[in-house]
Amino acid sequence: MKIHVFANEEELHEAAAQTIVRLLRRKPDAVLGLATGGTPVGIYAKLAAAFRRGEVSFARATTFNLDEYVGLPPDHPESYRSYMERHLFRHIDLPQERAHIPDGNAADLERECERYERLLQEAGRIDLMLLGLGHNGHIGFNEPGRQLHSRTHVAVLHPKTREANARFFRSPEEVPARAVTMGLGGIFKAVTILLVVKGADKADIVHRALTGPLTTECPASLLQLHPDLVVMLDEGAAARFGRPAPGEAQPVNGLR
Ligand code: PGA
């Protein structure tokens, strides 16, 4: 595991975006795993800017989003389809047919999970999976509990997750109760996992996930097993790892 700590959000967003830009320049037909939520917004803005400057093309790339709410119309502003269009897809040259997001409105959700899983398998390995981290240790909507799932499945959102995501909706009741999410198997098959965590409110959970026991009660703890996990933190999120030296990004091999 490599942990990088950044002095500010701007540098963190740029470093995460540049990781993706470098991959696409080396491998234009790369398969990317993408996340939603507050964390990646700034990263997507940097990617869009890099595209506008002609530094990167997504024309041959394929993307798979981690998850989608169940029951929100696709054009609802908080559906992850809308989010991705707004923050990334409409700003870049990614062909629409290769931008995969689970369909949270499928009449038969079990079949939709199977379809998504099959697409993932046909695509081979995800080259880079971008992940955020929930306050309760979830990744995608793989929520803490007594068991975890390897394959794409319908997840019941943890009350804490609905509470955290209520800020994007008019009222907490509007937050969907379920989502279709990639399972841990799909996430773990990625060649590289890029975990991005920001904010002092996530300092405890990211520390627990990366240094604590492996447990289904903190799904992100399993990331410790991944052979190529890159973690990018701002200073707030890195607080429990000790203070970074002043200056730019602090590449750290292993834990400080
Ligand atoms: P956030 O969500 O980026 O909105 O904090 C992260 C997550 O829940 O995975």
Side-chain angles (χ1 to χ4, degrees), residues 36-40 132-135 138-141 161 165 167-168 202:
T36 48
T39 305
L133 175 67
H135 288 96
H138 75 196
I139 45 180
F141 280 123
T161 301
N165 291 6
R167 69 191 196 278
F168 299 117
K202 291 194 181 160

Side-chain angles (χ1 to χ4, degrees), residues 19 22 42-43 127 129 169-170 178 202 221 228 246 252:
T19 303
R22 277 196 305 273
I43 300 171
D127 291 289
M129 177 82 238
F169 291 82
R170 276 177 310 201
R178 295 184 302 158
K202 291 194 181 160
S221 66
D228 191 19
V252 177

Side-chain angles (χ1 to χ4, degrees), residues 2 6 36-37 78 90-91 118 166 182 184-186 211 217 230 233 239-240 249-251:
K2 289 195 191 76
F6 296 88
T36 48
E78 295 310 327
R90 76 161 65 131
H91 307 289
R118 210 168 37 247
M182 212 185 269
L184 289 176
T211 66
E217 295 299 337
V230 179
L233 307 175
R240 295 283 310 273
Q250 307 287 314

Side-chain angles (χ1 to χ4, degrees):
M1 161 187 339
K2 289 195 191 76
I3 301 187
H4 304 256
V5 181
F6 296 88
N8 58 56
E9 282 202 334
E10 179 73 14
E11 288 176 15
L12 188 160
H13 295 157
E14 189 61 36
Q18 283 304 319
T19 303
I20 296 171
V21 167
R22 277 196 305 273
L23 167 64
L24 285 168
R25 291 172 73 112
R26 181 166 54 79
K27 189 175 180 194
D29 61 349
V31 180
L32 303 173
L34 299 178
T36 48
T39 305
V41 171
I43 300 171
Y44 294 152
K46 295 284 185 193
L47 281 178
F51 171 73
R52 276 196 302 275
R53 293 194 301 266
E55 292 168 10
V56 66
S57 168
F58 296 77
R60 293 176 54 204
T62 300
T63 64
F64 284 92
N65 265 78
L66 275 170
D67 43 26
E68 178 59 284
Y69 289 120
V70 167
L72 280 189
D75 60 349
H76 186 289
E78 295 310 327
S79 78
Y80 288 158
R81 170 66 69 183
S82 300
Y83 169 107
M84 290 308 300
E85 290 295 336
R86 188 162 68 242
H87 292 296
L88 186 64
F89 294 161
R90 76 161 65 131
H91 307 289
I92 60 174
D93 60 347
L94 177 71
Q96 208 178 349
E97 66 277 11
R98 288 210 301 277
H100 303 291
I101 302 183
D103 177 3
N105 285 300
D108 185 338
L109 287 172
E110 289 309 319
R111 279 184 68 175
E112 172 58 12
C113 293
E114 281 164 28
R115 184 191 72 88
Y116 206 66
E117 195 62 35
R118 210 168 37 247
L119 279 176
L120 276 166
Q121 290 186 6
E122 282 165 13
R125 289 179 84 180
I126 288 175
D127 291 289
L128 185 133
M129 177 82 238
L130 176 63
L131 284 184
L133 175 67
H135 288 96
N136 64 356
H138 75 196
I139 45 180
F141 280 123
N142 292 276
E143 299 281 25
R146 287 171 53 194
Q147 57 177 15
L148 295 171
H149 299 267
S150 173
R151 297 166 65 86
T152 303
H153 59 282
V154 177
V156 175
L157 271 53
H158 193 280
K160 283 241 175 319
T161 301
R162 293 189 69 208
E163 202 179 294
N165 291 6
R167 69 191 196 278
F168 299 117
F169 291 82
R170 276 177 310 201
S171 72
E173 297 76 47
E174 242 194 87
V175 185
R178 295 184 302 158
V180 175
T181 185
M182 212 185 269
L184 289 176
I187 295 172
F188 266 77
K189 252 176 45 189
V191 178
T192 300
I193 294 181
L194 175 55
L195 175 71
V196 179
V197 189
K198 299 190 297 186
D201 52 324
K202 291 194 181 160
D204 284 341
I205 190 63
V206 72
H207 187 258
R208 193 174 126 210
L210 299 181
T211 66
L214 306 191
T215 164
T216 59
E217 295 299 337
C218 179
S221 66
L222 300 181
L223 294 173
Q224 293 179 44
L225 295 173
H226 194 275
D228 191 19
L229 173 65
V230 179
V231 184
M232 294 190 176
L233 307 175
D234 68 0
E235 286 197 15
R240 295 283 310 273
F241 292 103
R243 279 200 65 72
E248 293 203 336
Q250 307 287 314
V252 177
N253 289 317
L255 297 172
R256 284 184 284 140

